Amino acid sequence: MSAKRDKRRTQYDTAYIHQIHVDYRQLEDELKTLKEHKIFKLSNFRLSKVAGEKMLDKNPQIADLSDSRRPQKLECWNYCKETCEQQTKILEQNLLLASENKDGLYALSPGSSKLLTEIRKRSAKEMMPNLYEKFKSVKQDIKEDLHTYVESCLEVCWYSAINEPPLHYGFDAEEQADDFREYTQGGKIVDFVVWPAMYLFINGPILYKGVAQYKN
C-alpha cells in the first residue's frame, strides 16, 4: 500500500509541476503580449502627439482645445501686434543663439514653437502691468476713468496677438459693411465704430461681427 501511495504522490507531484510550467509559460506569453501592446500604444501616443503638434502649429483651422484662452473676444491692437512681433523675434533669436537669416525666419520645431506660444500665454497675466505702463508712456492722454477699460482691451489684444497665427481685427465698417451690425441706429453712413470685426486670422473667416453706429 505504501508503494502505491508513493507512486500516486509522485504522479501527482509530476502533474502539479507540469501544470506550474504550463501556467508559467502562459503568464509569460500574456506578459509579452501586454508589453507589446503597451509599446504599441506608447508609440501611437508619441506619433499622435508629434502629428498633433505639427497640425496645430500655426494652423488656424484647427482649434487647440487644451488652450484655456481660446479666442472669443477684444483697441490697443496695433501696439500689441507690433510689441508681440518684436518679442517673438527676440525670444526666437535668444533661444537659437542666432541672428536673423535672409528670410527673417527661424528653425524652431513645431513642438518648440507651440511651447513658446504656451509660455507666453501662461506668463501674460504677470506681464500685463508692465505692458500697460509701456502703453501709457506711448499714449499719454488716457483719461483716468478709462484706465480699467483700456487695461481690459490691452489684455484681450495681447492674447489675440500671441495666438498662432495672430487674430485680426477690422475697423473699416464702410469697406467691410457685411461684417458689421448696427449699434443703436442704422443708416447709410458710418458715424463711428463701437467695436471692430474679429477674424480668425488676416483675410480669414470672421469670428464675430463688429458693431458700428450709423446715421442717414
Side-chain angles (χ1 to χ4, degrees):
M1 292 291 293
S2 179
K4 288 183 179 180
R5 188 166 56 250
D6 290 343
K7 185 179 180 180
R8 285 198 298 271
R9 179 63 180 268
T10 301
Q11 290 173 341
Y12 173 79
D13 289 345
T14 301
Y16 181 69
I17 292 171
H18 175 72
Q19 186 60 46
I20 288 177
H21 281 296
V22 171
D23 292 343
Y24 179 76
R25 283 196 297 270
Q26 184 177 347
L27 287 172
E28 272 192 327
D29 290 341
E30 290 177 359
L31 181 60
K32 183 180 178 181
T33 302
L34 286 172
K35 284 182 177 178
E36 290 173 348
H37 183 62
K38 185 177 180 180
I39 291 171
F40 176 75
K41 286 184 68 176
L42 185 60
S43 298
N44 270 357
F45 171 75
R46 286 173 177 165
L47 286 171
S48 298
K49 187 172 184 292
V50 171
E53 286 175 346
K54 286 183 177 179
M55 282 196 300
L56 285 170
D57 184 55
K58 299 181 181 177
N59 188 343
Q61 305 296 348
I62 300 176
D64 182 1
L65 298 181
S66 65
D67 184 359
S68 60
R69 300 184 179 94
R70 294 192 302 278
Q72 292 294 331
K73 54 175 184 173
L74 185 94
E75 254 114 76
C76 327
W77 172 236
N78 287 332
Y79 177 80
C80 286
K81 184 171 63 172
E82 291 168 5
T83 303
C84 179
E85 289 170 355
Q86 292 171 2
Q87 187 190 58
T88 299
K89 184 176 179 180
I90 292 169
L91 285 171
E92 291 182 336
Q93 281 180 313
N94 286 326
L95 282 173
L96 297 171
L97 297 177
S99 57
E100 189 174 2
N101 63 22
K102 293 179 181 179
D103 299 320
L105 301 174
Y106 301 89
L108 281 180
S109 67
S112 297
S113 180
K114 184 177 185 298
L115 183 60
L116 182 58
T117 298
E118 183 59 28
I119 290 172
R120 295 170 81 187
K121 288 179 179 179
R122 286 174 180 263
S123 61
K125 278 287 184 185
E126 288 92 348
M127 70 163 285
M128 277 302 148
N130 290 333
L131 185 68
Y132 184 57
E133 289 303 314
K134 287 180 179 294
F135 182 71
K136 282 199 301 183
S137 69
V138 176
K139 302 287 186 182
Q140 299 179 357
D141 57 347
I142 302 174
K143 294 180 180 179
E144 186 69 31
D145 56 352
L146 288 178
H147 280 197
T148 301
Y149 173 75
V150 173
E151 285 178 9
S152 297
C153 287
L154 196 70
E155 183 176 1
V156 174
C157 286
W158 182 252
Y159 281 123
S160 300
I162 62 178
N163 199 60
E164 279 294 345
L167 301 182
H168 181 68
Y169 293 98
F171 295 83
D172 193 339
E174 292 182 353
E175 188 71 25
Q176 303 159 317
D178 291 340
D179 295 343
F180 282 79
R181 59 183 176 82
E182 63 185 44
Y183 182 42
T184 61
Q185 178 178 318
K188 297 179 180 180
I189 302 172
V190 176
D191 191 7
F192 57 87
V193 171
V194 178
W195 203 251
M198 180 179 184
Y199 304 88
L200 189 57
F201 53 94
I202 190 166
N203 297 323
I206 189 167
L207 289 174
Y208 290 99
K209 282 193 172 187
V211 180
Q213 182 75 328
Y214 297 86
K215 62 182 180 179
N216 291 314

